[in-house]
Amino acid sequence: MPHDLSAPAPTAPRDGLGAAPAKAASARRDPYFDNAKYLTIVLVACGHAWEPLTHGSRFATAAYLTVYAFHMPAFALVSGYFSRSFDMAPGRVRRLLTSVVVPYLVFETAYTLFYRWAQDDPGYPLSLLDPWYVMWFLLALFIWRITTPLWLMLRHPVLVAMALAVLAAVSPDLGGDISIQRVLGFLPFFVLGLTLRAEHFERLRTWRVRLFALPVGAAALVTAYLVAPWFGAGWLYHRGSVTGQGVPNWVGLFTTPALFCLALVLTACFLSWVPGRHLWCTALGAGTMYGYLLHGFVIKASRFWDWYDHPWLHTALGELAVTATAVGLVTALCSAPVRRVFRFAVEPRMEWMFRRRDEVPPGRTPRTPRTPKDA
């Protein structure tokens, strides 16, 4: 989410390393965005938990399609909103390395080792250019963030980003390295976030918009229920070109903008109902990176060891139990105790790697302070 899914929501004062002072950041966090981050990671966990249920439940499929239509676009959009100040300054580059690049390297390796152990496949390859499962978003976030100065220079960045997304949708030979299809497919949402201001979110939080969002959300769910038997969720993943859905590549010229508009409407409906006050879950918004990276191990374990084979889980009560378990799991993973345990991997400080602001780089002579000239 904002910054790196776990960074402070508002623009708190920062020191030279790009980190907000603890007291200032705590005092100036915006509960609205912390709530939005928490609720979004809950939707991510629920979507992953529901996937095995979609094979035999039309309602589960409808809920799954509805959530997948907007939850990752919302992730990308809010991440873009909080990337507006990224300007390649040393402090911000350091923050990008420690909060995105290092966790990507650590968890991509950890997921590969987990797969080797769980599947008894010691030869399963480790490829940093082919992110596994949830890791694609960190790689995408790095690419989006590092190109932020370029997007901010353009007159019509969203249109350019949309053109790239359409190009990806109609290009079956683009390849799968660095999840390029997903990077470009969700790029317009990130770039749109770069163009937003606080007042745009405030306009969503009016009762007129909230009341309008109710029938829109209901219509989306009903539509998803109606199309569930034949509509493939692959349209919403952006993993490859549209030819993977069994249609000619030119169809992507129309479906990509249409899915963008659908996701944007549903994201606006979702954000309109995010509470703006402090709630019991508000503090968990600071730990969404932990929930995102860690819950994937449990989700994959459920697939590897066939946890969904129990028939009761595919009943109405079972589906509710799966949902409650997913919510409880990701909530626990965002909590302070879990964050303390895994901070070394998710938010490493790494002072040993970076020079201090007052440290002179090798080969340079420290400047002599100028003294005022006599009048």
Side-chain angles (χ1 to χ4, degrees):
M1 294 292 292
H3 295 296
D4 54 11
L5 307 180
S6 62
T11 53
R14 296 183 175 274
D15 58 24
L17 301 179
K23 292 184 178 179
S26 176
R28 299 185 61 182
R29 294 188 70 93
D30 188 337
Y32 172 76
F33 286 105
D34 276 336
N35 292 335
K37 289 192 292 179
Y38 169 73
L39 294 175
T40 306
I41 198 63
V42 165
L43 292 178
V44 170
C46 287
H48 289 157
W50 289 340
E51 194 274 333
L53 303 176
T54 62
H55 304 297
S57 171
R58 189 169 178 176
F59 183 79
T61 303
Y64 180 83
L65 291 175
T66 303
V67 166
Y68 262 79
F70 76 91
H71 77 314
M72 289 313 297
F75 241 42
L77 184 143
V78 180
S79 296
Y81 174 72
F82 282 94
S83 297
R84 296 170 300 157
S85 61
F86 186 83
D87 56 3
M88 298 297 289
R92 292 191 172 94
V93 172
R94 169 175 172 167
R95 175 68 179 173
L96 179 64
L97 293 175
T98 58
S99 64
V100 177
V101 176
V102 172
Y104 174 77
L105 298 175
V106 171
F107 279 88
E108 180 67 21
T109 302
Y111 271 112
T112 301
L113 295 177
F114 177 68
Y115 182 93
R116 291 177 178 178
W117 170 72
Q119 296 295 88
D120 193 20
D121 183 6
Y124 186 79
L126 168 64
S127 176
L128 298 179
L129 296 180
D130 184 17
W132 197 70
Y133 197 38
V134 298
M135 299 310 300
W136 73 268
F137 186 78
L138 265 71
L139 185 56
L141 185 60
F142 171 77
I143 296 173
W144 296 338
R145 185 79 58 79
I146 209 74
T147 58
T148 290
L150 171 63
W151 296 112
L152 295 178
M153 290 171 53
L154 299 178
R155 289 183 179 272
H156 306 289
V158 178
L159 292 179
V160 175
M162 179 58 68
L164 291 176
V166 170
L167 178 63
V170 302
S171 302
D173 298 325
L174 193 58
D177 288 345
I178 65 171
S179 290
I180 188 63
Q181 295 280 5
R182 279 182 161 178
V183 170
L184 297 179
F186 289 100
L187 175 63
F189 301 100
F190 178 85
V191 174
L192 177 61
L194 292 175
T195 69
L196 297 180
R197 298 295 179 265
E199 54 266 27
H200 294 121
F201 293 93
E202 293 173 0
R203 292 172 187 171
L204 292 177
R205 297 160 60 188
T206 64
W207 279 108
R208 176 179 297 178
V209 175
R210 288 174 175 174
L211 293 177
F212 176 76
L214 292 177
V216 172
L221 187 59
V222 170
T223 302
Y225 184 85
L226 294 175
V227 305
W230 56 267
F231 183 82
W235 285 101
L236 309 174
Y237 298 155
H238 297 290
R239 287 177 180 167
S241 72
V242 296
T243 57
Q245 305 306 315
V247 298
N249 59 357
W250 58 263
V251 174
L253 297 173
F254 307 98
T255 58
T256 303
L259 290 174
F260 173 81
C261 293
L262 172 64
L264 193 58
V265 170
L266 293 180
T267 296
C269 292
F270 165 72
L271 292 175
S272 71
W273 277 98
V274 171
R277 63 186 184 280
H278 281 276
L279 301 173
W280 65 269
C281 62
T282 301
L284 299 172
T288 49
M289 175 69 91
Y290 294 81
Y292 183 80
L293 292 174
L294 295 173
H295 89 284
F297 290 100
V298 181
I299 296 297
K300 280 301 181 181
S302 71
R303 312 296 201 265
F304 294 156
W305 296 310
D306 302 321
W307 294 356
Y308 285 85
D309 282 356
H310 198 293
W312 181 79
L313 292 179
H314 298 269
T315 65
L317 288 178
E319 292 171 357
L320 291 175
V322 169
T323 303
T325 301
V327 174
L329 170 68
V330 79
T331 299
L333 294 178
C334 293
S335 64
V338 173
R339 290 160 57 190
R340 283 194 293 270
V341 172
F342 290 97
R343 182 167 285 120
F344 76 96
V346 181
E347 295 181 292
R349 299 185 63 86
M350 303 182 67
E351 286 92 347
W352 55 270
M353 179 176 286
F354 301 98
R355 286 194 293 265
R356 299 187 304 271
R357 279 199 306 169
D358 57 351
E359 187 176 347
V360 180
R364 290 190 181 181
T365 303
R367 291 184 178 182
T368 303
R370 293 184 179 181
T371 56
K373 294 181 178 180
D374 293 336

